[in-house]
Amino acid sequence: MNVGSPDAPEAGPVRRYLREFLSDPRVVDISAVGRFLLLELFILPTRPAKSAKAYKKVWTAEGSPLLAHSRAFVAGLAETLGPAYSVKLGMRYGRPGITAALAEFRQEGVDRIVLFPLYPQYAASSTGTSLEAVYRAARTLWNVPALSTVPPFYDEAGFIDAFAARGRPIIDRVDPDAILFSFHGLPERQIRKSDDTGTHCLASDSCCAVMSPQNRWCYRAQCHDTARRIAAALQLADGRWHVTFQSRLGRTPWIRPYTDVVVDELAKQGKKRLVVFCPAFVADCLETLEEIGMRLHDDFLARGGEALELVPSLNDSPEWVATAASLVRRVG
């Protein structure tokens, strides 16, 4: 399972996708009235056309990059797992949908299903809503299949090694002045909601320094842990790499530091060459290819930088497919 994308890089399909996506109370976690007004008065009148232009820059003959890479990954995973497994792709929003995948499994006589949310770090707005959608669909079935779930894999050795392998030759070639681990952002209020103790998350500058029972559900802490592990695998010196967060929306505070702000600061410091990892995404998509690989790249060069190179996501790389197969077998 992954987030999904519009059917076409046009304002109409993008508007339909954004309405479904941003109507989810786990994504925009404000009152229903507030969410409706935000969508209808501020987002949907203008954002679909802007997003459609961005999608057109990265659209492929197979559809959105996320869909194309996800399909290739599913094919590789199915081949690796072998005939004992049936592998389907179900997007939380858009097509192919989760309900359709469950229907196909039922037609095939599948009784046990492994749910694989393709989000390395847990967030209620990604993993949580995808699992909720499956549970909601499954409860309508008379014969409810057995369900098990691949947990967040932000610290899985194979996942870490696969990202390190993607980045190592790029780092060797570019010889960057700084390396960024840029993760998708979340509103600060959602991070605080994940804290069962109500006292730990975002309470200090060091709250994400180590994983603990207090922050075990914290998306930001899991992101920092992922970055530390990839940096260690690459033997990066402290001070050479930074954790940042991208893709913020609206005026409420999101988790910091912001990727675009940090890149601007690095340019002002005279840094000329940057390499950027996006380890919240296992497949390249709009947020990696256009937001980082194009927009942030152009902004950095306009500020005097010489190179900003995006490390490709895992997509259907053999190392990642093998790791994913291991994760599936472990729970299924």
Side-chain angles (χ1 to χ4, degrees):
M1 297 181 289
N2 214 319
V3 173
S5 53
D7 291 332
E10 307 293 341
V14 172
R15 182 177 291 106
R16 288 193 295 274
Y17 172 76
L18 288 177
R19 176 173 278 115
E20 182 183 9
F21 174 42
L22 297 176
S23 294
D24 187 339
R26 285 184 175 267
V27 174
V28 181
D29 55 326
I30 59 177
S31 71
V33 173
R35 188 165 51 249
F36 175 82
L37 294 175
L38 179 66
L39 272 174
E40 299 301 331
L41 298 181
F42 297 100
I43 296 178
L44 293 181
T46 59
R47 193 173 181 87
K50 294 179 181 178
S51 294
K53 290 180 181 179
Y55 273 111
K56 285 180 181 178
K57 296 178 184 178
V58 299
W59 208 257
T60 74
E62 293 79 29
S64 75
L66 176 63
L67 182 59
H69 288 306
S70 296
R71 283 174 169 161
F73 166 76
V74 164
L77 183 60
E79 182 178 0
T80 302
L81 289 171
Y85 288 83
S86 174
V87 185
K88 309 292 183 187
L89 178 63
M91 297 298 194
R92 175 61 182 88
Y93 317 102
R95 297 182 294 181
I98 288 171
T99 302
L102 291 176
E104 291 178 22
F105 281 141
R106 185 177 183 182
Q107 291 173 358
E108 294 173 2
V110 171
D111 296 321
R112 294 184 296 120
I113 299 174
V114 175
L115 309 176
F116 195 167
L118 291 173
Y119 319 105
Q121 302 82 23
Y122 177 87
S125 56
S126 55
T127 310
T129 189
S130 294
L131 293 176
E132 182 184 34
V134 176
Y135 303 151
R136 189 166 55 241
R139 76 179 184 181
T140 66
L141 303 175
W142 185 256
N143 300 317
V144 179
L147 302 174
S148 55
T149 302
V150 174
F153 47 91
Y154 64 93
D155 58 350
E156 180 71 25
F159 165 72
I160 299 299
D161 291 343
F163 251 117
R166 298 292 259 183
R168 187 172 288 110
I170 295 174
I171 291 173
D172 291 343
R173 174 171 51 81
V174 176
D175 188 22
D177 301 311
I179 298 163
L180 267 61
F181 295 98
S182 179
F183 297 85
H184 199 288
L186 287 177
E188 288 184 354
R189 66 176 180 273
Q190 294 190 7
I191 298 298
R192 292 190 175 94
K193 283 183 178 181
S194 73
D195 182 359
D196 291 335
T197 70
T199 61
H200 184 85
C201 289
L202 301 182
S204 70
D205 292 338
S206 61
C207 61
C208 295
V210 296
M211 294 301 300
S212 68
Q214 289 78 19
N215 63 11
R216 69 191 188 280
W217 288 102
C218 177
Y219 171 80
R220 187 175 185 271
Q222 293 181 8
C223 289
H224 275 270
D225 195 69
T226 295
R228 285 192 295 267
R229 291 172 183 272
I230 298 175
L234 291 168
Q235 298 182 316
L236 301 180
D238 290 344
R240 193 185 181 195
W241 57 276
H242 310 267
V243 176
T244 64
F245 298 91
Q246 63 184 86
S247 310
R248 64 188 183 277
L249 174 67
R251 298 179 181 179
T252 58
W254 283 47
I255 50 178
R256 295 177 173 87
Y258 301 141
T259 299
D260 56 341
V261 173
V262 171
V263 167
D264 185 49
E265 292 172 350
L266 291 172
K268 290 177 180 177
Q269 295 169 14
K271 307 296 185 184
K272 297 297 183 182
R273 298 179 306 280
L274 303 182
V275 166
V276 183
F277 289 79
C278 293
F281 306 93
V282 296
D284 276 314
C285 54
L286 186 71
E287 287 80 3
T288 65
L289 299 174
E290 194 275 336
E291 183 178 354
I292 301 297
M294 295 180 182
R295 261 191 293 147
L296 193 67
H297 168 274
D298 293 348
D299 289 345
F300 181 61
L301 266 59
R303 287 165 170 75
E306 295 175 358
L308 185 153
E309 186 142 351
L310 170 69
V311 174
S313 194
L314 302 182
N315 298 323
D316 62 334
S317 65
E319 299 92 341
W320 167 228
V321 170
T323 295
S326 177
L327 289 169
V328 168
R329 292 191 182 106
R330 194 180 301 170
V331 301

